[in-house]
Structure formats: C-alpha cells, structure tokens
Amino acid sequence: MSVPEKEHLTSAAQTEESEDESEVLEESPCGRWQKRKEQMNQGNVPGIESAFLAMDTEEGVEVIWNEVQFKDKKIFKQHEESIITMFDKLLLLEHPNIVKFHKYWLDILENSARVVFITEYMSSGSLKQFLKKTKKNHKTMNAKTLKRWCTQILSALSYLHSCDAPIIHGNLTCDTIFIQHNGLIKIGSVWHRIFANAFAETLPIPSLSQEEEKNLHFFPPEFGSKYDNPAFDIFSFGICALEMAMLEIQGNEDCRISKDAIMQACRSLEDSLMMEFILKCLSSDPQQRPTAHDLLFHRVLFEVHSLKLLAAHSFLNNQNSVPDNVVEEMTKPKDPNAVGAEICHRGSQVIQWRYSNVPTLELDKFIEDVRNGIYPLMNFATPQPPHLARSFLHPLEGTDNVRVPTPDPIEMETRKIVQIQCTLESNAESSRLHLTLLLKMEDKLHRQLTCDVLPSDNSTDLAAELVHYGFINEDDCEKLANFLEEVINRQQFNGTSHSYVLTTMH
C-alpha cells in the first residue's frame, strides 16, 4: 500500500472517530442540552459515574453533562429534598473565578433515578497541565503571574466561604483549577464536598487511582475526620501556591508527596515573603490558618490598586451611564502626542502622560480582562450569593422519558436596576389599583411588569415577590419597596393616576 493511501485511510478513520464521538446520545427535557458520546474525566467525585461532552444548542458552546446515579429509587426519595436544596444553592453561585453551574433536572424511573447537571466546559486545560508544559520548556514561574493567580483563587474561595452556610470546596488541587487562554483562573468541582457530605451513606465513594493518590498531599492533616471548615481549603490552596511557585514538588514516584518534601520545597523558595505566605496556609493546626479574605491582605499579594484599575472597575460598574464605545470616542479625536495628564512634585521633574502611552486597543483589552475577573479588587467586600429561601422553591418533576418542558429552577436576577418608572392607575369600579413598572437594567435593557394591587397588599411583599420570581435583583428589593410605598401613599392621597420615576446608580 502506498503512503498516500495510508494517509487517506488514517484521515478517514480519524474523521469517522470524530463523527462517532459527536453523536447525540440524549437530549435534556427542554431540548437545549445535547449529550454526546465523548466521555470526560471529572475526577474522584462521589456518585458521578459518568460525565460527557455536550452541546448547548442555544448558546452554541460545549458544556459538560454530569450524571449522579441512584440505583435504588427509595434511597433517592429519602434524599430528594436535600438534593433539590443542594442543587438550587449551586445554581446561585456567580463568580468569575468559579466554573459555572448552568442547570440540573431529575430523571426518575420506575426502579432507579438520576440527577443530571450541566456545567461549564473548560477547554484550555487544568493548571497542572500548564505547569507541566512550563517546566518542560525549562521556564520559571513569573512572580507577577503567580500573585495574580493566587489572588483569583483566593477571591473565589472567599466568595464560597462567605456563603450562608459556607461552601467548602474539599477537593482543591491543581487538577481542579483551570486556566483559560486569557490568563483567567477558574476553580471547578465546587460540588465535590457537598456531594461527599450529602451522599456519604448512600453513594459509593470511588476508590482512588494511583494518580489520585499522588494528590493526597493537597489535603490537610485533619482529612478523613469530621472536622470540616474553610481551613481545609486554605491548606489545599497553600499546596497549590507552592506547586505554582515551584512548577512541581519533587517526591517519590510511587507514593504521595511527603511532608518533608513539602517543607523542603518551601525552604527552597527565593522569595521569603512568599515562603511565609505559604507556610501560614500549611499550618497543622486549622485554627492557625488565615482565612481566604485575610490572605488577600497579606503583604505578598496586597497592593494599593492603581488608579487605572480602580477607574476600570468604576467604569464597568457604571456602564449604564456611558456609551458602549466611550473609550474609542474619547481617544479618537485626540492628538496621540497631546498630554492627557501630568503629575507635578515640588523640586522634581513633571511626569507627563500622553495619549500615545495608552493605545486604545490596549485599554480595551485591559477593560475586558477586568470584566472577566482577571484583576479583582482584593480590598473590597466579597459579594455573597443571595440566601435561598426554601419556601420559594417549586418541586421539580421527573422526565418520565417524555420530551416535555420541565419547570426550571428559579433563576435569580443578577442585573441591577438603574431607573424605575411607575404608573399607578385607580379603578372607579373597584378598590384595586393597576400598577405598571418599567425597569431599566444596568445593561440598558428594559423590563415592563404589570399587576393589580389590592388594598391588603403592601410594598414589601410586592418587592419580595419580584425577587422570588427572578424579575429583580435581591439588592434592589428594599429600594423598590420604599419607592412603591411612597407611590401608593401618594396615590391614596391624590386619588388620581400618576407616573413616578426613580433614578438610582450602583
């Protein structure tokens, strides 16, 4: 057989294999998510026996289709309430440095059941893979990059630990941290510890592979005990930071990395501040380990933010008040050599900044990086996910293998309101009032809502109901309630229809 014939057969075989992997095995009840044949490695997560590459047909992006299997339907029914509570909580997590949890549904069969949930697909690979490539090319870790990655990971951990109740990752390793092409770090497998705790007596804990046993050095001394709090993740983060700094911790090829190997790696760090930073995380006493929030203020990471970074965050927080192309429009008519700003110090030379010093494309990329979470503000309070009231949840139904739309879990509104226009009309034939709300959101989209207001209704309940159904952000609830109360009082006093406008900036 000639070489061209061999190449043709090889190419044909690869094409056939690729088409076979992209074959659709199953669809979600709503038809949006399509499960493919290609299986993905999701690590040692209890109960997740299979994970597949899938397609989001609405967004046109690849996602991960995860399955938790219950072979005994009775056991599933015993835990159904806690399962729904757990997954509803995961749906509320919204942080740029955490792998996104998109959707879940229950599939209840005659004798068994399963939970299917969709998560973001990290195509760029894990941090472990990146470190191996870097070491292979005989490169060292850049200090600024290391600090930026640590800041992003700690920002995500601080967010999780500030939840009510705190979410413990419990499986933080360089294999569960992912890096995107733009340098954005995301931590995955956030559901690992939640699964382990919720299903410890129900789902079999998979045995550790040889590769997974090598990751046991990421777990603190209290691993395996009932002691479970955020300090567990801090120890794991310390090992991750050490591996990032060293690119690899040398150990015995056949077993887990020893404590002596870890200490030797710490002592070999050239940066004494980084060594102190990591050793604090690796304290054998959980009570002595700092919190993720405290670590963000450690002098190895903390810095006074530049005016450029503060301005970028301020710009993004107030995008509703400026045109989309404001950067381009403001710099286009300027002479590149013109002075945009200058700093004057007594007895020293004036420092000038010209428009040519900050090209428009470079500025646009910086703003995009800030938007994506690459440069978080570490010395500000970490936002907490909204508390999920159990009474507000609608029970999910099984699919029963019929393609019908299933009730979606309530999705919380993340956008803030920048302007509220309210019209309240009286009805001569009844005591009801007809309320029309026109809400301008921070992304410049509008939402119009109408309802009848009874004499027994109050503004607080009306605003809470809008939060419950995902029409407004929870942070806007009190503001809207106060505005509605004022409008209703004015209507009762005047007795005629009026329109009112409230403009607010976040």
Side-chain angles (χ1 to χ4, degrees):
M1 184 182 294
S2 65
V3 174
E5 287 177 334
K6 288 183 179 180
E7 291 179 350
H8 175 73
L9 290 175
T10 302
S11 177
Q14 290 175 345
T15 302
E16 184 178 347
E17 183 180 349
S18 177
E19 290 177 353
D20 187 47
E21 288 182 346
S22 63
E23 176 187 351
V24 176
L25 299 181
E26 185 181 352
E27 285 188 345
S28 62
C30 63
R32 174 177 177 178
W33 319 97
Q34 293 182 339
K35 171 184 172 183
R36 292 181 177 176
K37 195 171 183 179
E38 183 179 355
Q39 285 195 275
M40 309 298 293
N41 179 18
Q42 287 296 283
N44 192 45
V45 181
I48 300 184
E49 299 176 359
S50 53
F52 300 83
L53 196 63
M55 175 61 72
D56 179 351
T57 58
E58 286 188 13
E59 298 293 335
V61 297
E62 292 179 318
V63 292
I64 300 295
W65 173 301
N66 306 270
E67 297 180 0
V68 182
Q69 304 285 349
F70 290 84
K71 295 180 180 179
D72 190 334
K73 185 177 177 181
K74 292 181 180 179
I75 294 178
F76 170 78
K77 284 296 183 181
Q78 293 174 4
H79 294 273
E80 184 173 6
E81 185 73 12
S82 62
I83 290 171
I84 293 174
T85 302
M86 176 185 70
F87 278 99
D88 281 329
K89 187 172 185 178
L90 289 172
L91 281 173
L92 294 179
L93 299 181
E94 190 72 40
H95 192 280
N97 301 116
I98 295 176
V99 172
K100 177 68 177 173
F101 191 99
H102 288 297
K103 173 86 171 180
Y104 82 95
W105 63 91
L106 310 181
D107 185 10
I108 306 174
L109 305 177
E110 185 177 352
N111 297 315
S112 62
R114 67 173 178 163
V115 182
V116 181
F117 63 99
I118 306 296
T119 56
E120 183 180 3
Y121 174 44
M122 304 303 296
S123 59
S124 298
S126 68
L127 182 60
K128 171 76 79 176
Q129 293 169 331
F130 180 87
L131 296 177
K132 283 185 176 180
K133 290 178 183 177
T134 304
K135 185 178 181 182
K136 187 177 180 180
N137 294 330
H138 305 287
K139 293 183 178 179
T140 57
M141 178 57 62
N142 179 277
K144 288 185 177 180
T145 301
L146 172 60
K147 292 176 182 181
R148 188 165 66 243
W149 287 355
C150 286
T151 300
Q152 293 181 56
I153 297 170
L154 287 171
S155 177
L157 289 179
S158 180
Y159 175 85
L160 292 174
H161 296 168
S162 65
C163 291
D164 183 21
I167 293 179
I168 313 302
H169 188 288
N171 191 33
L172 189 68
T173 71
C174 290
D175 287 312
T176 58
I177 299 174
F178 301 92
I179 178 170
Q180 294 185 325
H181 64 279
N182 60 356
L184 179 66
I185 289 286
K186 291 201 174 193
I187 63 175
S189 298
V190 172
W191 45 89
H192 177 277
R193 178 50 58 93
I194 301 178
F195 282 5
N197 290 343
F199 308 135
E201 301 176 358
T202 304
L203 297 174
I205 304 298
S207 58
L208 296 176
S209 66
Q210 184 178 1
E211 183 66 28
E212 289 163 340
E213 284 183 354
K214 292 181 181 180
N215 281 340
L216 288 177
H217 64 286
F218 285 94
F219 302 147
E222 66 268 23
F223 174 61
S225 67
K226 293 183 179 179
Y227 193 90
D228 192 13
N229 73 7
F232 189 105
D233 288 340
I234 299 303
F235 185 95
S236 301
F237 164 77
I239 299 294
C240 291
L242 182 59
E243 286 212 350
M244 287 189 289
M246 301 295 298
L247 299 181
E248 183 183 31
I249 302 175
Q250 296 293 336
N252 192 314
E253 291 291 332
D254 300 324
C255 63
R256 62 180 291 188
I257 295 173
S258 66
K259 182 178 179 180
D260 290 339
I262 293 172
M263 290 298 103
Q264 183 177 350
C266 285
R267 287 191 292 268
S268 66
L269 290 172
E270 295 180 1
D271 188 338
S272 59
L273 283 179
M274 180 58 71
M275 179 171 64
E276 177 204 351
F277 174 79
I278 292 175
L279 287 174
K280 281 188 174 183
C281 300
L282 301 184
S283 172
S284 58
D285 183 0
Q287 302 293 337
Q288 297 299 317
R289 295 174 206 149
T291 65
H293 183 265
D294 290 342
L295 287 171
L296 286 170
F297 285 87
H298 190 280
R299 51 184 175 168
V300 77
L301 294 183
F302 181 77
E303 60 183 21
V304 177
H305 295 301
S306 66
L307 290 177
K308 179 181 175 182
L309 181 57
L310 291 172
H313 277 276
S314 178
F315 171 77
L316 292 172
N317 291 337
N318 297 282
Q319 272 190 293
N320 52 278
S321 61
V322 294
D324 293 334
N325 60 342
V326 63
V327 175
E328 181 182 356
E329 290 299 319
M330 290 183 66
T331 55
K332 185 167 57 176
K334 305 292 185 182
D335 178 2
N337 294 319
V339 177
E342 61 182 18
I343 303 175
C344 302
H345 295 289
R346 289 182 180 179
S348 61
Q349 188 177 359
V350 175
I351 301 174
Q352 293 183 335
W353 283 87
R354 303 182 186 276
Y355 288 102
S356 58
N357 295 135
V358 187
T360 304
L361 291 178
E362 181 183 314
L363 192 58
D364 282 336
K365 182 183 182 302
F366 179 72
I367 291 176
E368 188 64 25
D369 287 343
V370 173
R371 178 187 286 110
N372 289 335
I374 295 177
Y375 300 103
L377 292 180
M378 66 184 73
N379 51 340
F380 289 85
T382 305
Q384 293 188 13
H387 177 71
L388 186 63
R390 194 69 197 98
S391 59
F392 282 166
L393 297 177
H394 297 295
L396 297 177
E397 298 177 358
T399 61
D400 294 330
N401 292 329
V402 179
R403 179 172 172 168
V404 294
T406 56
D408 288 345
I410 297 172
E411 295 185 3
M412 307 300 291
E413 177 60 77
T414 57
R415 298 170 298 176
K416 301 291 184 65
I417 299 171
V418 296
Q419 188 179 74
I420 307 170
Q421 183 175 335
C422 170
T423 302
L424 203 57
E425 300 174 331
S426 58
N427 190 333
E429 298 179 358
S430 71
S431 58
R432 294 186 178 187
L433 298 174
H434 187 69
L435 174 67
T436 300
L437 284 175
L438 182 62
L439 308 177
K440 182 179 179 182
M441 315 304 283
E442 61 185 353
D443 58 359
K444 300 183 181 179
L445 294 180
H446 293 74
R447 170 171 285 162
Q448 182 170 318
L449 306 169
T450 61
C451 71
D452 288 333
V453 180
L454 301 174
S456 57
D457 291 333
N458 64 70
S459 59
T460 302
D461 291 342
L462 289 172
E465 191 172 349
L466 292 177
V467 173
H468 161 49
Y469 286 110
F471 290 126
I472 67 171
N473 190 294
E474 188 177 42
D475 292 343
D476 290 324
C477 184
E478 183 178 356
K479 173 179 59 184
L480 180 60
N482 294 336
F483 178 60
L484 288 176
E485 183 176 6
E486 181 180 352
V487 169
I488 293 173
N489 290 339
R490 287 187 185 181
Q491 174 68 23
Q492 292 174 346
F493 180 77
N494 295 325
T496 57
S497 301
H498 282 83
S499 293
Y500 306 91
V501 177
L502 172 67
T503 301
T504 179
M505 299 293 292
H506 287 277

